[in-house]
């Protein structure tokens, strides 16, 4: 073991006790450190493997960790506390019999359906102020900060929030009635359990002798609190992460957790892993020159013993179609697998897909419609979820009339009314079908038929899980329903159902004590990256920059490296700029051998094409690492200055209409509108600009006016007059 680790890795692995913070740069072998540390605790310190907990963020990373540990210790990792935060919290909740150990995990789609019902019942279904998507996002944000409806109610100061807290409270009530938890609840409820039950909390604190956390920079407040609770007894906590790869603040991740680790654990030992085993020296030098511009980071610089490699291609194209055609040509000319294309927004994938299809290049998209999100798969899973948890109203509503059984919306309204008035779940209303006075005899017979069929399903033996699922698909009538459907794509839908049954068999093969509950839990916690096969195939992988973290490819293309896209800044906040810079850094450091950055002269967004400004990040990359390629045939070697008084240069002024030579440099067009600028608006009067976002025709300004109101305006239409600077 000692010989396969470099000096800094050994330092981390052989730090036996107390808090340890490992800054692990991209490609520096962090998984090796975690797995070797666990193996050493088991082999050299005789620590029971069941007293070690290792937490990460994706099932893919957890599986890799398990495989490596099994190879090192030559014993099965079954039963060890190794997995994602959410899977291990679900395990704790089932062990501690929350909801009797039987609960359904709602995905985002389930949450939105529940919220849609709640908004309709509260008379807010048509309100533009509330949408299921916005409400779901806000509830998730609150739960990640451990804020309950009661806590939020105490801070309400306006009518909008008063309505929102009613929605939040009703959402929680209906989740509880359905014995359901959403994704955020898995961690939230474990923390509530620990804080509300000292005996249970102390049991886990005593049992977890060593706690290891991967990707610590991505933790939010709830995850931080969980870690702090679990580590408080023995304090043998190792966190591994990279502040330069913190890119998830929009979903609650707090970079301060890693930057201020020593405040929580003042006696922490710190190790920096800076040797990179992935990329060429040139790619690392380019990436380092970019990320060192960030102020909110710990000083470090990746280095490698790998060869220098090719320079980073900086390619100038006409527009997104030219960009896609260029990448397609390069992909066709590649000599092997392992090619990926990254973009900032999913909308950018359309032109890429068209180019790949037209050129016969196989590709896969990460983040598109996932297998377990397909309608036919969710239908079958709803049958299985309802069998496990009859209180699951969302699953019942999904399949009670699929295939058609004569249970229409009128019947469903009567079931909902009865359930609501008698404080029951929908399945109890189904069981009491004889009391549904608002239904005709034919409608009651239809509900009775569903009840009887479903109670039969609950009695089916589950000793052979694959056969059980196959029988449900057949006996529910769903298989026949698909076979007789005249809709387009029926063959693919049937194939998908068959693939689901294969997935059940694969789960049984790797899980000695396989259960239906276990399979449903595993499925509910699958992420986009977990479904991505190893990149050893012949296809090109398309994904957002956010999805790329944790992966690596021989060749990487980063598209749309332009202001307003990368960085995608909404309010000129410096923290946002630093996170966008980290995002580009993540994309660059995925490349092993070849890296290509592309920017266009023009980019179509929201249905119109406008001049695109090269990203300011390009100015920050060492020019010695770059090879500049003009793919426009010289047609746009000089760009007209659209803003009429700006430059791509640091402080260099130009006159309106003056041309800007290509590749002079790449910083953002210097805008006449800036923070602190005093203006006059013809309607609202004098004011001061608080922030500016976007550029050219899409530029917006947030302005505070003399009457204290704050307005956000499109500069193009606002008819602003300049008064002076603050």
């Amino acid at each position: 073991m000692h010989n396969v680790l470099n000096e800094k890795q050994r330092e981390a692995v052989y730090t036996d006790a107390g808090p340890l913070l490992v800054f692990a740069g991209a490609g520096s072998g962090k998984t090796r450190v975690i797995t070797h540390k666990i193996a050493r605790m088991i082999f050299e310190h005789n620590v029971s493997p069941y007293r070690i907990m290792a937490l990460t963020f994706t099932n893919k990373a957890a599986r890799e960790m398990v495989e490596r540990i099994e190879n090192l210790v030559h014993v099965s990792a079954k039963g060890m506390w190794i997995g994602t935060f959410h899977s291990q919290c679900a395990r704790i909740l089932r062990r501690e019999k929350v909801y009797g150990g039987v609960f359904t995990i709602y995905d985002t789609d389930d949450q939105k359906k529940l919220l849609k019902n709640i908004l309709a019942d509260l008379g807010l279904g048509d309100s533009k102020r509330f949408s299921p998507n916005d409400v779901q996002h806000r509830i998730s944000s609150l739960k990640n900060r451990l804020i309950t409806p009661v806590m939020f109610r105490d801070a309400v100061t306006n009518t909008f929030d008063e309505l929102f807290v009613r929605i939040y409270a009703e959402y929680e009530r209906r989740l509880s009635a359905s014995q359901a938890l959403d994704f955020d609840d898995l961690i939230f409820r474990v923390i509530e359990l620990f804080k509300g039950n000292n005996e249970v909390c102390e049991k886990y604190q005593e049992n977890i002798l060593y706690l290891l956390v991967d990707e610590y920079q991505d933790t939010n407040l709830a995850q931080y609190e969980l870690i702090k609770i679990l580590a408080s007894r023995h304090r043998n906590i190792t966190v591994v992460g990279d502040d330069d790869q913190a890119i998830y603040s929009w979903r609650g991740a707090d970079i301060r957790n890693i930057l201020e680790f020593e405040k929580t654990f003042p006696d922490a030992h710190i190790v920096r892993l800076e040797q990179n085993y992935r990329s060429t020296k040139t790619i690392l030098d380019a990436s380092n020159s970019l990320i060192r511009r960030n102020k909110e980071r710990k000083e470090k610089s990746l280095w490698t013993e790998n060869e220098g490699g090719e320079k980073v291609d900086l390619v100038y194209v006409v527009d997104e179609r030219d960009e896609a055609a260029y990448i397609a040509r390069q992909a066709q000319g590649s000599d092997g697998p392992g090619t990926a294309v990254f973009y900032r927004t999913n909308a950018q994938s359309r032109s890429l897909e068209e180019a790949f299809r037209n050129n016969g290049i196989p590709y896969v998209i990460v983040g598109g419609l996932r297998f377990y999100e397909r309608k036919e798969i969710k239908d079958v899973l709803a049958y299985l979820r309802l069998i496990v948890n009859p209180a699951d109203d969302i699953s019942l509503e999904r399949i009670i009339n699929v295939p058609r059984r004569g249970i229409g919306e009128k019947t469903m309204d009567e079931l909902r009314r009865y359930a609501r008035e008698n404080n029951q779940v929908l399945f109890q209303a189904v069981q009491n079908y004889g009391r549904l006075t608002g239904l005709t005899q034919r409608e009651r017979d239809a509900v009775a038929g569903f009840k009887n069929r479903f109670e039969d399903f609950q009695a089916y033996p589950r000793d052979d899980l694959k056969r059980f699922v196959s029988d449900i698909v057949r006996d529910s009538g769903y298989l026949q329903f698909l076979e007789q459907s005249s809709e387009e794509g029926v063959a693919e839908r049937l194939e998908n159902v068959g693939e689901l049954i294969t997935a059940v068999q694969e789960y049984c093969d790797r899980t000695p004590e396989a259960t239906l509950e276990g399979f449903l839990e595993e499925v509910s916690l699958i992420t986009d990256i977990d479904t991505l096969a190893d990149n050893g195939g012949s296809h090109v992988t398309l994904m957002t920059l956010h999805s790329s973290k944790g992966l690596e490819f021989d060749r990487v293309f980063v598209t749309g490296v332009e202001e307003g896209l990368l960085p995608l800044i909404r309010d000129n906040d410096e923290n946002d700029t630093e996170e966008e810079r980290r995002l580009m850094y993540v994309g660059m450091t995925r490349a092993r051998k070849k890296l290509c950055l592309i920017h266009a002269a023009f980019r179509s967004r929201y249905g119109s094409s406008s001049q695109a400004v090269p990203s300011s990040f390009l100015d920050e990359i060492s020019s010695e690492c770059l090879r500049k390629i003009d793919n426009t045939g010289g047609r746009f070697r000089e760009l007209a200055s659209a803003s009429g008084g700006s430059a791509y240069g640091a402080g260099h002024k130009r006159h309106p209409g003056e041309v800007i030579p290509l590749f002079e440099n790449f910083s953002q067009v210097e805008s006449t509108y800036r923070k602190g600028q005093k203006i006059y608006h013809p309607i609202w009067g004098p004011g001061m600009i608080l922030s500016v976002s976007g550029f050219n025709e899409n530029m917006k300004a947030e302005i505070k006016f003399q009457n204290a109101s704050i307005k956000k305006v499109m500069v193009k239409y606002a008819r602003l007059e300049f008064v002076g600077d603050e």
Side-chain angles (χ1 to χ4, degrees):
M1 181 187 299
H2 186 87
N3 294 330
V4 299
L5 302 170
N6 66 36
E7 180 183 352
K8 288 298 182 180
Q9 290 172 340
R10 283 197 298 274
E11 182 181 349
V13 169
Y14 283 79
T15 299
D16 291 333
L20 172 64
L21 168 59
V22 181
F23 283 109
S28 63
K30 63 182 177 65
T31 305
R32 174 180 292 184
V33 166
I34 293 173
T35 54
H36 278 73
K37 193 174 183 70
I38 292 173
R40 183 166 180 268
M41 292 301 108
I42 296 172
F43 265 143
E44 298 183 19
H45 290 269
N46 295 317
V47 176
S48 166
Y50 308 109
R51 299 194 67 189
I52 300 171
M53 176 180 280
L55 300 173
T56 186
F57 279 84
T58 67
N59 294 300
K60 186 175 188 292
R63 284 196 301 269
E64 181 182 357
M65 205 177 289
V66 166
E67 289 170 4
R68 291 200 193 187
I69 290 170
E70 288 180 336
N71 289 334
L72 287 169
V73 301
H74 303 293
V75 296
S76 171
K78 183 182 181 298
M80 292 177 64
W81 290 92
I82 300 174
T84 65
F85 279 90
H86 295 93
S87 67
Q88 298 310 296
C89 284
R91 180 179 174 186
I92 290 172
L93 294 174
R94 294 199 193 280
R95 286 184 61 163
E96 300 307 321
K97 302 301 182 184
V98 172
Y99 290 132
V102 177
F103 52 81
T104 301
I105 301 172
Y106 277 2
D107 62 16
T108 303
D109 186 52
D110 298 323
Q111 291 175 261
K112 290 176 183 177
K113 285 184 178 178
L114 177 58
L115 286 167
K116 184 178 180 181
N117 292 341
I118 292 170
L119 290 171
D121 291 345
L122 293 178
L124 299 170
D126 296 326
S127 172
K128 294 182 179 180
R129 300 168 66 194
F130 296 98
S131 72
N133 188 62
D134 291 341
V135 174
Q136 185 272 332
H137 181 78
R138 193 176 187 192
I139 289 175
S140 177
S141 177
L142 290 172
K143 288 188 177 184
N144 285 331
R145 288 180 283 146
L146 304 176
I147 298 174
T148 65
V150 173
M151 295 164 65
F152 186 76
R153 184 181 290 117
D154 294 339
V156 166
T157 59
N158 56 64
T159 304
F160 179 85
D161 282 347
E162 287 176 358
L163 284 171
F164 173 79
V165 79
R166 286 180 61 197
I167 298 168
Y168 187 10
E170 180 63 12
Y171 172 77
E172 290 296 279
R173 188 194 71 77
R174 295 196 191 186
L175 275 182
S176 179
S178 296
Q179 292 187 194
L181 301 173
D182 63 30
F183 206 55
D184 302 304
D185 280 329
L186 296 173
I187 297 174
F188 196 168
R189 294 295 293 271
V190 168
I191 294 172
E192 284 187 332
L193 176 66
F194 286 166
K195 289 185 175 181
N197 191 320
N198 286 334
E199 184 179 347
V200 171
C201 182
E202 290 174 1
K203 176 178 68 175
Y204 285 92
Q205 288 174 329
E206 176 59 33
N207 186 59
I208 304 301
L209 183 58
Y210 286 90
L211 176 62
L212 300 96
V213 184
D214 189 17
E215 303 286 7
Y216 186 66
Q217 79 280 349
D218 291 337
T219 53
N220 58 31
L221 176 62
Q223 289 156 340
Y224 168 79
E225 285 295 325
L226 176 68
I227 291 164
K228 196 165 67 169
I229 291 170
L230 289 172
S232 63
R233 173 67 59 87
H234 299 293
R235 302 185 78 254
N236 295 324
I237 177 172
T238 296
V239 300
V240 182
D242 183 7
D243 50 317
D244 289 336
Q245 297 186 69
I247 58 174
Y248 291 117
S249 66
W250 51 275
R251 69 181 189 193
D254 192 341
I255 194 174
R256 292 175 298 178
N257 290 349
I258 190 167
L259 293 178
E260 300 177 4
F261 183 77
E262 298 126 291
K263 289 186 178 180
T264 306
F265 299 96
D267 56 335
H269 182 63
I270 299 175
V271 177
R272 286 177 169 81
L273 304 183
E274 296 174 302
Q275 182 176 359
N276 176 282
Y277 293 91
R278 175 187 300 151
S279 305
T280 65
K281 184 178 185 302
T282 301
I283 291 173
L284 286 188
D285 288 346
S287 304
N288 285 335
S289 64
L290 173 73
I291 199 61
R292 68 168 58 105
R293 299 294 185 113
N294 272 7
K295 298 175 182 177
E296 195 174 28
R297 68 186 293 262
K298 297 289 187 179
E299 186 57 40
K300 70 188 82 69
S301 185
L302 295 185
W303 61 276
T304 184
E305 293 179 349
N306 295 343
E307 60 184 18
E310 297 181 41
K311 285 192 174 186
V312 175
D313 284 348
L314 178 55
V315 182
Y316 179 53
V317 298
V318 177
D319 55 22
E320 63 273 9
R321 290 179 296 276
D322 191 26
E323 177 182 65
Y326 177 83
I327 295 172
R329 288 195 301 272
Q330 297 298 310
Q332 280 182 326
S334 62
D335 57 359
T339 299
V341 184
F342 303 152
Y343 35 79
R344 182 62 180 85
T345 65
N346 278 305
Q348 291 169 255
S349 71
R350 184 185 62 81
S351 56
L352 293 163
E353 289 186 71
E354 288 180 0
F356 288 168
R357 283 197 300 266
N358 291 338
N359 288 277
I361 299 172
Y363 66 91
V364 295
I365 295 184
V366 176
L369 184 63
R370 292 187 288 163
F371 177 77
Y372 289 102
E373 292 175 342
R374 298 180 187 277
K375 180 184 183 304
E376 59 275 13
I377 301 304
K378 289 186 73 70
D379 287 345
V380 176
L381 291 176
Y383 274 99
L384 303 179
R385 287 179 9 168
L386 194 62
I387 289 169
V388 168
N389 176 18
D392 182 357
D393 282 357
I394 294 297
S395 291
L396 184 141
E397 289 207 35
R398 184 177 188 98
I399 51 88
I400 192 170
N401 200 41
V402 178
R404 295 188 182 280
R405 300 183 176 90
I407 302 176
E409 195 57 33
K410 175 178 174 290
T411 305
M412 287 305 305
D413 285 342
E414 179 67 9
L415 287 168
R416 294 187 192 105
R417 181 199 62 77
Y418 184 89
R420 186 169 56 251
E421 292 178 357
N422 292 277
N423 197 28
Q424 295 180 347
V425 297
L426 284 175
F427 192 72
Q428 290 174 305
V430 167
Q431 291 176 311
N432 291 316
Y433 67 91
R435 302 178 183 178
L436 301 178
T437 56
L439 298 183
T440 65
Q441 186 59 47
R442 182 178 179 181
E443 289 167 337
R444 276 196 294 272
D445 289 345
V447 175
F450 173 78
K451 166 189 171 294
N452 295 334
R453 176 66 62 90
F454 205 81
E455 288 176 347
D456 288 343
F457 294 162
Q458 290 177 304
Y460 280 14
R462 301 187 203 171
D463 52 327
D464 184 333
L465 203 55
K466 176 185 174 183
R467 179 184 298 172
F468 172 80
V469 175
S470 299
D471 289 347
I472 297 298
V473 171
R474 182 193 64 233
D475 295 348
S476 64
Y478 194 78
L479 187 62
Q480 184 180 19
F481 160 70
L482 285 183
E483 290 172 339
Q484 295 178 351
S485 174
S486 58
E487 294 181 6
E488 187 177 348
V490 169
E492 183 180 355
R493 294 174 68 188
L494 283 165
E495 187 175 328
N496 287 337
V497 172
E499 185 62 26
L500 176 64
I501 295 171
T502 299
V504 172
Q505 184 59 57
E506 290 175 353
Y507 163 75
C508 294
D509 291 342
R510 65 176 179 271
T511 311
E513 297 176 6
T515 64
L516 180 57
E517 293 84 348
F519 174 72
L520 292 173
E521 179 180 307
E522 182 175 289
V523 166
S524 68
L525 299 177
I526 287 175
T527 65
D528 289 338
I529 297 302
D530 296 325
T531 61
L532 178 64
D534 292 337
N535 49 48
S538 59
H539 57 258
V540 177
T541 303
L542 309 181
M543 66 178 71
T544 63
L545 283 158
H546 280 100
S547 296
S548 73
K549 194 160 79 66
L551 304 175
E552 58 183 57
F553 301 87
D554 283 347
R555 289 165 299 283
V556 165
F557 296 85
V558 182
T559 64
V561 189
E562 299 143 21
E563 287 299 314
L565 198 55
L566 183 60
L568 185 67
I569 305 299
R570 293 179 172 83
D571 57 6
N572 278 5
D573 186 274
E574 185 175 349
N575 290 331
D576 286 347
T577 302
E578 293 215 347
E579 179 149 332
E580 290 289 307
R581 188 179 286 111
R582 291 194 293 267
L583 186 59
M584 183 161 173
Y585 172 79
V586 165
M588 293 171 67
T589 54
R590 300 309 94 196
R592 287 191 285 250
K593 299 176 181 178
K594 184 67 181 175
L595 173 63
C596 178
L597 311 176
I598 308 178
H599 74 89
F602 301 92
R603 177 81 54 181
S604 295
R605 298 184 73 188
Y606 308 110
S608 62
S609 178
S610 60
Q611 181 181 320
V613 178
S615 173
S616 56
F617 293 159
L618 297 176
D619 253 350
E620 301 171 359
I621 299 173
S622 172
S623 60
E624 296 179 358
C625 301
L626 298 175
R627 176 175 62 185
K628 298 169 183 176
I629 301 172
D630 181 2
N631 192 61
T632 71
R635 285 175 291 167
F636 299 93
R637 184 159 293 280
E638 292 185 335
L639 297 175
S641 173
S643 60
S646 60
Y648 289 170
H652 179 62
K653 299 288 185 178
R654 291 188 186 273
H655 302 293
E658 187 176 354
V659 294
I660 303 169
L662 175 65
F663 294 136
E664 179 175 328
N665 56 16
F666 305 96
S667 57
Q668 182 177 10
V669 171
E670 180 189 5
S671 172
T672 311
Y673 301 95
R674 56 186 177 275
K675 183 178 180 180
Q677 177 80 48
K678 290 184 178 180
I679 56 87
Y680 182 85
H681 189 276
I683 296 176
W684 297 308
M688 186 182 71
I689 295 178
L690 300 179
S691 67
V692 179
S693 60
F695 60 95
N696 294 347
E697 294 186 350
N698 296 318
M699 182 179 289
K700 297 179 183 178
E702 187 177 37
I703 304 171
K704 184 175 183 179
F705 289 95
Q706 205 168 52
N707 63 2
S709 67
I710 296 177
K711 307 286 186 182
K712 200 159 191 175
V713 302
M714 290 290 293
V715 171
K716 179 180 178 180
Y717 304 109
R719 293 179 293 164
L720 302 178
E721 296 179 21
F722 295 112
V723 177
D725 286 332
E726 178 70 353

